[in-house]
Each structure stands twice: as C-alpha cells, then as structure tokens.
Amino acid sequence: MFGYYVDLALRSLRRNKVLTALMVLAIALGIGASMTTLTVLHVLSGDPLPGRSSALYAPQVDPRDMGNYQPHGEPPDRVTWIDGMNLLQAKRANRQALMTGGSVAIQPAQSALNPFYESARYITADFFPMFGVPFQYGHAWGVPEDAASAAVVVISSKLNDKLFGGRDSSGRMLRVEGHALRIIGVLGDWRPNPHFYDLNLKSYGADEGIYLPLSTSQDLHLAHLGGADCWGNGGDGATPSHTAPCVWLQFWVQLNTPAQADAYRQFLIHYSQEQQSLGRFPRSPNVRLRNLMQWLDYEQVVPGDVQLQNWLALGFLLVCLVNTVGLMLAKFLRRSVELGVRRALGASRRALFMQLLVESAVIGLAGGLGGLLLAYLGLWLVRQQPANYAPLAHLDGAMLMMTLVLAVVASLLAGALPAWRACQITPARQLRSH
C-alpha cells in the first residue's frame, strides 16, 4: 500500500510542477539555512573528549585581596604559581596537570628552512594520559623529568612533517629559543575542539606544535602568552613571577567517580581555609569544581552571534513551513473531486489522510535534498570567514541524516492540517457539483 501511495504522490507532483517546485523550494531554503547554523552550533558546542569529559574537572580557588569583593562571586578561572604547585603536589586526584601556553622560536637544522615561531604548551607529565593524547612515535615524559626540568620536548605530527618529513624523529635534537632539546615523542592525530584546557589563548583552531615540561619552560625563561590577572602589587601580569599575586596557570584534575569529585571539592575548601589561616587568602573559602562540559558552558565558549544566527535560521524555517502549509492546502483542496471520487468508491478518510501525508513526505524528502545542497553551500561560505572556528564548519554523517529527517518531519507537520482539511470533503456534494 505504501508503494501505491508513493506512486500516487509522484503522479500528483508531476501534474502540478510549478506548485510542487514552490513547495520544494520553500522547504529547501528553510532546511538549508537552519542546518547551516545548526551544524556550526553542533561543531562548536560538541564534546572535545567524548568518553573522558565527565571525569575531567577544572578546580577554582580564590586567592585575591578584598578589592572589588562581592560575596559569592565567581573565583578566578586560573591559579597562581603557588596554588598550582600546592594543588599539584597534594596529589588528591587520580591525575592532575598544571600548564600554560606560549610561543617559541624554532631554529631548524635544515638550511632550507628559516627560523619560525611555533605555539607551545608548557605542561606537567599527567597532561598526556589524562587527556588521552595519542602518540605516533616515541612517548611522553614522566614525573622525574618534571622534577629535573629535563631538556625534552614532544612535537605535533604537523611540526614533525615540516621538520623531518614525517619520519620518526625520536632522539633527534631541536633548538628552541637557542636551547637544544631532545625530542622524545611525536603526537598522533589529536585536535580537540573547543580548545578547552586553555581558553585564554584561543577557543578554536589549530593546536600547539611544541610540548615541554612546565619546569623546563621556567628555567629557560620561555615566553608566556595569555596574560595574567593580578591584584595588589602584582604588576601588569605580562611576565608574572612565582611569588606574584597573579593568576596565570590552568589546572585540571581527573576524578573518576562522583564520590571522588565530592571529596576533592571538600579538599579545595579545606585548602582555602588553611591558606586563609596562613594569611594568603584574605577572602572566605570560595571554590568551584566544574567538569569539562560545565566548564565550557561557564566560559560561554560558543560565540553569541552563532546562537543568534541559529535562532534566526529556525525562525526562517518556521516562516517557510507556514508558506508550505498554504501551498499544500491550495494543492490538496484543488483535488477535491479526485478525493471525493475515491471516497465514493469506498476509500476511508484514514486512507486518504495517509495518501496525502505520503505526498507531503515525498515533497519533504525532495526539499531535504535541496536543503542539503544549500547547507553545503552555506557551510562553505562560513569557512571563508575570518573567525577562528570557521575551518571546523563541516557537515558530518549525523548532521547529514538529521537534515533529511528534519526535512521529512517538517513537511509532514506542514502537510498534516491541509491533509486533514481535504479529508473532510463530503463525497456526495463534490459528485453533484461535477
């Protein structure tokens, strides 16, 4: 029976080509616009580390003075060097990583390459296992290398391709800011977006090419980027010292169970009380412990203009559907004689309703295919924008299926009222009038 309804739908659509084209175009425009913005929103608000994010947390404590104090206000989203090292050495989490970012000069050994700057990440050893960073060659360093400020470095696969043609460079030497560092590992494919672990430098885009121990970066006086928030006599925060009253480091912990998260939250409160008794924390204990996805929401990573565009596109889809309702109503009512004859021959209202809904679904599927092409065009236009998230705007398999499903569901909703109205035709009246 379904195949018969599809055949009737195709015959009907061919008889009214102009009206059919208008309905398909209306749905295609609405679906194309809405799926373009929904895809961008989906990419930007996605989970950067599926399967791990629920166990990763960003601890926050409040070491600031009483200037601009507001009760129950949010603590800083970074930590001081003293607090970062205290929390790191306390080892109250399954894993913990203290880090910051910078930019360093690379002096290639190959004469064909000129020196260049590369984004760098200064981290502690747990960064790699905690975030599940894959390796193409070699391995990461461990806690002993952190303690010894070892002259070691891990590089990205992209930088390895540029410097060594993609070959295993483990054991080779790399000159960074004039210092010789030994390459011990090359990363595999690892590009989490958003750039959750340091949103002060960038939210989206390319990741770092150089990873080296935080302690090594301090001994070598490597440049720190991302600024710092200082108070009192902390200065401008451009190059904070270890004792300066400035927050400038990111700190992440891994807590595998809710019970461990609750215990760590209590630890942060006790730590703040201890620091208050020592005179370091003038304010009452004020802590937060958000997991990765909660952290992204708190930091409002998704740009406001993307959310606005999404609502505008959904509004445009609604307008298109209203227009489609009108076109379908006109089309179905023009077929009142045909429907009246079918009723007189014994077809039930339910059968006619299903026939018209199948016709609506065929229109929706055609509109969905057109909307898919428009969505590809829209995403191509997004990728031409200068925004740092633009290169991520691609339609994946899930969003492709969602496009077609949304088009069919939207057309069914648009066709439900016209189909119901058309099914209320009284057969005898239509047959007498014709």
Side-chain angles (χ1 to χ4, degrees):
M1 185 61 71
F2 179 76
Y4 175 62
Y5 288 158
V6 172
D7 183 63
L8 290 178
L10 294 176
R11 290 173 183 269
S12 174
L13 296 177
R14 283 195 294 266
R15 284 199 304 266
N16 300 277
K17 295 180 180 178
V18 175
L19 197 56
T20 298
L22 289 175
M23 289 187 290
V24 170
L25 180 61
I27 292 177
L29 289 173
I31 294 296
S34 59
M35 290 312 300
T36 297
T37 57
L38 278 173
T39 299
V40 173
L41 184 64
H42 167 72
V43 170
L44 300 190
S45 60
D47 187 343
L49 292 180
R52 291 180 175 270
S53 59
S54 61
L56 299 176
Y57 292 83
Q60 294 172 261
V61 295
D62 197 344
R64 296 172 296 182
D65 60 21
M66 298 303 292
N68 300 318
Y69 172 71
Q70 293 182 353
H72 311 296
E74 285 289 339
D77 59 2
R78 291 177 286 180
V79 298
T80 66
W81 176 271
I82 294 176
D83 293 320
M85 295 304 295
N86 287 343
L87 296 175
L88 183 72
Q89 294 168 4
K91 298 182 179 179
R92 293 299 186 95
N94 298 100
R95 291 190 176 102
Q96 47 272 311
L98 186 65
M99 69 193 79
T100 189
S103 179
V104 294
I106 305 296
Q107 294 92 32
Q110 303 89 328
S111 59
L113 290 177
N114 293 322
F116 59 91
Y117 279 92
E118 184 71 27
S119 296
R121 178 119 310 248
Y122 316 136
I123 56 179
T124 54
D126 276 355
F127 177 94
F128 299 106
M130 186 166 71
F131 294 150
V133 183
F135 276 78
Q136 183 179 6
Y137 304 115
H139 54 82
W141 64 83
V143 175
E145 285 80 8
D146 276 338
S149 300
V152 296
V153 64
V154 169
I155 64 176
S156 68
S157 58
K158 183 178 179 181
L159 183 59
N160 188 62
D161 291 342
K162 182 175 182 178
L163 294 177
F164 304 103
R167 296 182 296 275
D168 185 358
S169 57
S170 300
R172 302 283 294 271
M173 302 303 292
L174 180 66
R175 294 197 66 80
V176 177
E177 294 285 346
H179 306 282
L181 303 180
R182 181 170 57 90
I183 299 173
I184 62 171
V186 178
L187 297 188
D189 184 17
W190 192 69
R191 293 188 297 271
N193 275 295
H195 195 258
F196 67 93
Y197 51 82
D198 187 354
L199 298 171
N200 293 280
L201 289 178
K202 52 189 174 182
S203 297
Y204 302 93
D207 297 303
E208 298 88 358
I210 293 284
Y211 299 81
L212 66 155
L214 176 64
S215 55
T216 304
S217 74
Q218 299 301 291
D219 286 354
L220 301 181
H221 304 290
L222 300 183
H224 157 73
L225 295 179
D229 292 330
C230 301
W231 56 92
N233 296 320
D236 59 8
T239 54
S241 68
H242 292 177
T243 58
C246 302
V247 290
W248 57 287
L249 295 156
Q250 293 78 35
F251 185 62
W252 285 84
V253 297
Q254 178 180 327
L255 303 164
N256 294 333
T257 66
Q260 289 178 340
D262 291 338
Y264 198 86
R265 188 176 289 105
Q266 290 302 313
F267 161 68
L268 292 177
I269 294 174
H270 294 154
Y271 173 78
S272 298
Q273 291 171 340
E274 178 187 49
Q275 296 301 309
Q276 186 181 33
S277 67
L278 294 174
R280 283 197 62 243
F281 285 16
R283 305 186 183 192
S284 299
N286 182 23
V287 306
R288 302 288 188 277
L289 186 65
R290 296 178 169 93
N291 66 28
L292 194 157
M293 297 307 293
Q294 292 170 338
W295 179 255
L296 295 180
D297 289 339
Y298 166 66
E299 292 285 350
Q300 299 179 339
V301 172
V302 179
D305 60 333
V306 171
Q307 297 182 352
L308 177 61
Q309 291 168 10
N310 184 60
W311 285 111
L312 290 175
L314 291 177
F316 179 66
L317 174 60
L318 181 60
V319 171
C320 292
L321 291 181
V322 171
N323 288 331
T324 304
V325 168
L327 293 171
M328 285 188 177
L329 187 60
K331 177 179 175 58
F332 292 165
L333 292 181
R334 285 175 59 183
R335 297 168 56 191
S336 57
V337 176
E338 173 196 336
L339 298 176
V341 170
R342 289 204 63 206
R343 283 293 313 281
L345 293 176
S348 65
R349 281 196 175 102
R350 182 175 180 276
L352 293 182
F353 185 74
M354 291 301 298
Q355 173 192 337
L356 296 178
L357 278 188
V358 169
E359 187 170 329
S360 300
V362 172
I363 293 172
L365 185 58
L369 293 174
L372 196 59
L373 295 177
L374 292 176
Y376 275 115
L377 175 61
L379 292 172
W380 179 82
L381 292 174
V382 170
R383 292 195 294 273
Q384 309 312 306
Q385 297 179 5
N388 59 7
Y389 62 80
L392 305 176
H394 290 275
L395 199 67
D396 58 21
M399 295 305 292
L400 187 149
M401 290 302 301
M402 184 178 174
T403 301
L404 299 179
V405 170
L406 180 61
V408 173
V409 171
S411 64
L412 288 175
L413 292 175
L417 177 60
W420 180 82
R421 287 285 303 276
C423 291
Q424 306 309 307
I425 295 171
T426 304
R429 187 175 64 185
Q430 289 298 330
L431 293 175
R432 281 200 305 268
S433 61
H434 293 80

